Amino acid sequence: MKESEGLKVVVTGATGNVGTSLMRALEREPRVASVLGLARRTPALTLTKARWAEVDLSLESDEPRLAQYIADADAVVHLAWRFQPTHDPAETWRSNVLGTLRVLDAVAAAHVPVLVHASSVGAYSPGPESGTPVSESWPTHGWPGAAYTREKAYLERVLDTFERDHPQTRVVRMRPGFLFKEESASEQRRIFAGRFFPGWLFRPDLLPLLPELDGLRFQVLHTDDAADAYRRALVRDVRGPFNLAADPVIDVSTLSSLLGARPVKVPSGAARGLLSAAWRLRVAPASPDLFDAVLKLPVLSTERARRELDWEPSTTSVEALGAFLRGVRAGSGDATDPLVGRRVG
C-alpha cells in the first residue's frame, strides 16, 4: 500500500454491536481509504467508505470467499462472535474458534500487515481476592466452566502461536469489559434475557427490589469508545493486548441507583439455582456457568491503552449503562440483522 492511497480494512462481524460502531469510526478516519464489512447477512446500512459481503465463518465451504475478501487487505479487524446457542457449545465453537482459525489462515496466506483481534475481559483468569486492578500481564486462562470464557482463553493461546509463526503481522488484542450502547440494547436483551422478555419491565416503578450478590462487580464501556480504541490501534504502531473499560466500576449500589431499586441480599447459590432452572427449561438463554464466570472477573487497569493509544473514554460507565437501559425500554436497534429492534436507532 502506498501511504497516499490509505488503508484497506476488512472487518468481520461488521453488523454487530462493536462492528457497527467501528464501521462508523473508520468512516471518519482519514487514513482509511475503504472498509469491507463481512457478515452473514448484508445490512441496510449505507456508509461512504464501506462495502459489504456475506460470509459465514463457521462454514468450511466459505473459506475460498473469505480468502478472496482478505487477499488485498492492509488490516483485518476480527470481531465476529456468536453468544448463542448456550445449549449447544459445539455450534458456538464452530463459529468462534474454528471461524477464527479460518480468519487467521487467510491473514497468514495474504501476509496481511495488521490484525486486530477482539478478545475480552472474559479471557482472564479469576482476579485477585483483593480486587486490585490487573494489567495485561494477568494470566488468560479464562473460567473453564463457561463456553464464552473457555473459547476466549483458547484463542489467546492460538494467537500466541500465530504471533510466533508470523512475526511480520502486527497483532493487537483488545480486552474490553462489557460493551453497551443504546442501539445494541434489543440484541443484548435477546442474548441474555431472552427474545420474549419485555424490555418495559426495566422501568424503576416495576423493579422495586434488586438482588445483591456477593462479588458482583464489573466494568462497562460505551461501544463507541471501544471502537475509538480499535481505530487508534489500527493506525498506530502498537502490538499486544489492551484492556478497555470506563470508570467507575459497576456494583450493586450503582445498579440500584440507575434502576431506582432497593438492594436485597440474596445468596449467590440461590440466584444461580434459579438461573440454572430457567436455563434448563430454556426460559433464560444465559447459562449458569456464565453467571459463575461474571462473579470471578478481574477489574481491569486501562493504563496501557490510555498511555500508548492516547485513548480516553468519552462516556462514563454509568452513562453507557444508562444508554443501554434506555434502549431496552424503548426497543432501540440499528439497520442490521443482529441489532434489529422495535425502533431503529
Side-chain angles (χ1 to χ4, degrees), residues 3 10 19 52 54 68 163 175 187 202 215 221 230 244 247 257 274 280 282 285 335 344:
E3 187 173 345
V10 175
W52 305 91
E54 294 186 1
Q68 175 189 345
E163 284 187 290
R175 297 175 184 158
E187 179 199 32
F202 279 90
L221 180 65
Y230 274 87
L244 303 176
D247 294 324
S257 297
L274 287 173
R280 292 181 186 281
R282 300 182 181 267
V344 174

Side-chain angles (χ1 to χ4, degrees), residues 4-345:
S4 59
E5 293 175 345
L7 294 169
K8 292 180 287 186
V9 181
V10 175
V11 179
T12 72
T15 58
N17 178 17
V18 183
T20 49
S21 287
L22 180 60
M23 294 293 284
R24 290 179 170 112
L26 296 180
E27 178 87 353
R28 301 186 294 269
E29 172 54 58
R31 283 162 288 189
V32 170
S34 65
V35 188
L36 174 60
L38 303 183
R40 286 188 293 162
R41 286 170 289 276
T42 302
L45 186 62
T46 302
L47 298 169
T48 304
K49 293 181 181 178
R51 58 190 181 91
W52 305 91
E54 294 186 1
V55 65
D56 188 337
L57 298 182
S58 69
L59 300 178
E60 185 177 354
S61 59
D62 274 11
E63 286 183 14
R65 280 196 294 163
L66 176 65
Q68 175 189 345
Y69 297 143
I70 288 178
D72 63 346
D74 297 306
V76 171
V77 183
H78 179 44
L79 304 174
W81 195 266
R82 289 190 68 182
F83 291 91
Q84 301 291 350
T86 56
H87 287 274
D88 187 0
E91 184 170 342
T92 60
W93 182 271
R94 282 191 293 271
S95 291
N96 300 334
V97 174
L98 300 186
T100 297
L101 293 178
R102 292 184 175 106
V103 171
L104 295 181
D105 286 345
V107 167
H111 304 287
V112 177
V114 182
L115 169 69
V116 182
H117 172 78
S119 189
S120 166
V121 62
Y124 282 116
S125 301
E129 292 185 6
S130 64
T132 303
V134 305
S135 73
E136 289 82 359
S137 64
W138 191 254
T140 52
H141 303 310
W143 175 249
Y148 175 83
T149 50
R150 193 165 57 241
E151 291 166 1
K152 287 292 187 183
Y154 182 88
L155 289 172
E156 290 279 350
R157 303 289 76 76
V158 169
L159 286 169
D160 291 342
T161 303
F162 181 87
E163 284 187 290
R164 182 199 66 194
D165 294 345
H166 305 282
Q168 74 279 4
T169 297
R170 179 170 66 85
V171 178
V172 181
R173 315 181 197 196
M174 294 302 202
R175 297 175 184 158
F178 292 89
L179 299 178
F180 293 122
K181 62 182 178 183
E182 185 171 346
E183 295 85 355
S184 69
S186 292
E187 179 199 32
Q188 290 170 317
R189 173 185 58 79
R190 292 189 292 267
I191 288 173
F192 297 111
R195 181 175 297 274
F196 302 108
F197 187 88
W200 51 264
L201 281 180
F202 279 90
R203 285 167 39 196
D205 57 323
L206 295 177
L207 287 173
L209 304 177
L210 181 69
E212 182 177 355
L213 305 173
D214 288 334
L216 181 60
R217 298 176 74 230
F218 59 94
Q219 287 167 291
V220 166
L221 180 65
H222 196 286
T223 312
D224 289 349
D225 284 329
D228 180 57
Y230 274 87
R231 177 190 63 82
R232 291 168 185 264
L234 271 176
V235 299
R236 292 174 180 242
D237 187 17
V238 296
R239 292 174 178 261
F242 289 92
N243 293 340
L244 303 176
D247 294 324
V249 176
I250 301 296
D251 56 17
V252 173
S253 174
T254 309
L255 286 173
S256 63
S257 297
L258 272 171
L259 294 168
R262 180 169 62 87
V264 176
K265 196 79 172 179
V266 174
S268 298
R272 190 191 191 283
L274 287 173
L275 177 59
S276 180
W279 181 74
R280 292 181 186 281
L281 292 170
R282 300 182 181 267
V283 175
S287 75
D289 298 323
L290 189 59
F291 172 84
D292 296 337
V294 168
L295 294 181
K296 298 177 184 299
L297 293 177
V299 174
L300 303 178
S301 166
T302 59
E303 179 183 349
R304 186 182 185 222
R306 295 169 190 262
R307 182 181 68 251
E308 297 190 23
L309 297 179
D310 193 23
W311 173 80
E312 188 76 28
S314 63
T315 303
T316 69
S317 59
V318 175
E319 291 168 338
L321 195 53
F324 164 73
L325 292 172
R326 286 196 306 273
V328 170
R329 290 190 289 263
S332 300
D334 206 341
T336 71
D337 197 73
L339 301 189
V340 67
R342 295 197 313 273
R343 177 172 65 85
V344 174

